[in-house]
Amino acid sequence: MAQARRNLSKALASVDVVVEVLDARMPAASANPLFEELRKERQRPALKVLNKADLADQDVTQQWVDHYLDTSKFSSALPLVGKSKRDVRKVVQQCQKLAPHRVDAIKPLRLMVSGVPNVGKSTILNGLLGQAKAKAADEPAITKMISRYEVNDRLVIYDSPGVMWPKVDSIDTGLHLAINNAIGVNAYNIEDAAIFLIQKMLEQYPGALTDRYHIELDGMDSVAFIEKVGDKRGMRSRGGSVDFERAAQLVITDYRQGRYGRVSLQTIEDIV
Ligand code: GDP
């Protein structure tokens, strides 16, 4: 871990802008605090890509954009849909603004793309890279853990596959990441994650739940709601009681598939 951190820090010396792919529905929880720390140490600007913006609440996303647009913190944000080639092209344009001196073949713009699992990093990278193939980097630290792509003579992209995930710093962050399928299934309890998700939905988007499941909420708490979903869908254990785990899995899958419409599970109020 210490070695990986040193390598990453060294690699950042050859990078002009860090492209941090975040999930627009939970930008803070899907951020990698280590990257943020190292890029600040190296005084590198960041473009916070708010990916999956098609699944997030537009007003909340705008608040995050305003929050990240901070010249003192040296960052800006770009909501986008990773699957849209047109959107992905904006990434380079926006990064160029953060590093206006890197514009030609002598000084190509060098980006490093980071992101927690399932945030859509590969989708965005594919859009950015086109046909470019990985080349060995000159710097030993980079060759070890980072792939280098010369997209054209003015653009170099570094990818850090499997960059170490620092310890999840709070239960709240862990549950957000679990809901987003960003951590292994053995690292969390699906029932806890579902209860957390539904609690947030009941507070912020109760209408999306009634639309999806046609259940009257009537002051129900999240456990009772998940039970009801299981009951309605005929998810029963051998003894005839509701199979809570299956119902928990269902509500999480529905969220992951975007079946609740546009929902944002984190607002900037959650982090101040
Ligand atoms: P990675 O693990 O970060 O590399 O994530 P992937 O690029 O493999 O994407 C994870 C899932 O999210 C895939 O099913 C993608 O199709 C989906 N995805 C990526 N970007 C978007 C987006 O902007 N909107 C939506 N709705 N889905 C996306």
Side-chain angles (χ1 to χ4, degrees):
M1 174 71 187
Q3 182 64 38
R5 183 195 160 96
R6 272 197 298 277
N7 285 347
L8 188 57
S9 175
K10 265 190 217 159
L12 280 172
S14 315
V15 163
D16 304 305
V17 181
V18 172
V19 178
E20 196 179 5
V21 184
L22 305 173
D23 189 307
R25 297 164 297 176
M26 50 175 77
S30 58
N32 186 331
L34 179 65
F35 249 90
E36 186 66 359
E37 191 189 316
L38 293 178
R39 73 131 187 132
K40 282 189 176 155
E41 258 173 48
R42 288 272 179 201
Q43 298 186 308
R44 293 299 187 259
L47 177 65
K48 313 271 182 176
V49 169
L50 304 177
N51 194 36
K52 308 198 184 184
D54 54 320
L55 302 178
D57 185 324
Q58 282 164 300
D59 293 341
V60 179
T61 300
Q62 188 53 49
Q63 288 168 14
W64 284 106
V65 170
D66 296 343
H67 170 76
Y68 287 127
L69 181 64
D70 180 346
T71 44
S72 67
K73 277 198 246 153
F74 217 21
S75 62
S76 67
L78 178 66
L80 62 77
V81 179
K83 288 183 269 190
S84 153
K85 288 266 175 341
R86 198 161 147 258
D87 270 14
V88 171
R89 272 200 290 275
K90 295 183 198 155
V91 171
V92 178
Q93 290 163 11
Q94 194 100 351
C95 287
Q96 195 74 73
K97 288 186 195 153
L98 290 165
H101 56 296
R102 306 289 309 193
V103 281
D104 54 30
I106 299 164
K107 287 187 169 174
L109 179 64
R110 298 162 304 174
L111 311 179
M112 181 181 283
V113 185
S114 78
V116 300
N118 227 19
V119 75
K121 188 180 81 159
S122 314
T123 307
I124 290 175
L125 263 174
N126 288 342
L128 285 172
L129 295 178
Q131 303 301 313
K133 294 272 175 292
K135 278 195 186 168
D138 303 334
E139 306 86 343
I142 295 183
T143 336
K144 264 198 177 162
M145 53 179 282
I146 292 170
S147 315
R148 182 178 196 274
Y149 300 85
E150 282 176 21
V151 180
N152 56 47
D153 62 355
R154 280 162 293 114
L155 181 62
V156 175
I157 293 183
Y158 294 101
D159 174 25
S160 47
V163 155
M164 58 287 169
W165 174 247
K167 259 187 146 173
V168 174
D169 58 359
S170 72
I171 293 175
D172 188 84
T173 302
L175 288 168
H176 276 98
L177 291 170
I179 293 170
N180 263 17
N181 206 11
I183 51 178
V185 286
N186 296 325
Y188 65 92
N189 176 304
I190 189 83
E191 299 179 4
D192 290 346
I195 291 167
F196 180 74
L197 168 66
I198 296 302
Q199 214 164 305
K200 292 218 146 207
M201 292 290 298
L202 285 170
E203 283 161 20
Q204 293 168 34
Y205 302 100
L209 290 179
T210 40
D211 284 355
R212 175 80 198 147
Y213 301 110
H214 307 289
I215 291 173
E216 285 302 322
L217 301 179
D218 284 336
M220 232 187 271
D221 68 7
S222 54
V223 172
F225 185 84
I226 297 166
E227 285 260 0
K228 189 84 187 161
V229 170
D231 180 41
K232 247 194 129 180
R233 299 284 175 106
M235 294 173 162
R236 308 223 161 261
S237 320
R238 279 231 181 98
S241 57
V242 169
D243 186 339
F244 195 83
E245 194 180 331
R246 267 181 73 204
Q249 185 63 63
L250 174 85
V251 298
I252 296 234
T253 303
D254 282 349
Y255 162 80
R256 288 178 182 166
Q257 302 289 332
R259 292 187 190 127
Y260 297 140
R262 289 177 173 272
V263 296
S264 291
L265 298 184
Q266 255 188 338
T267 66
I268 51 169
E269 280 86 40
D270 291 326
I271 60 159
V272 289

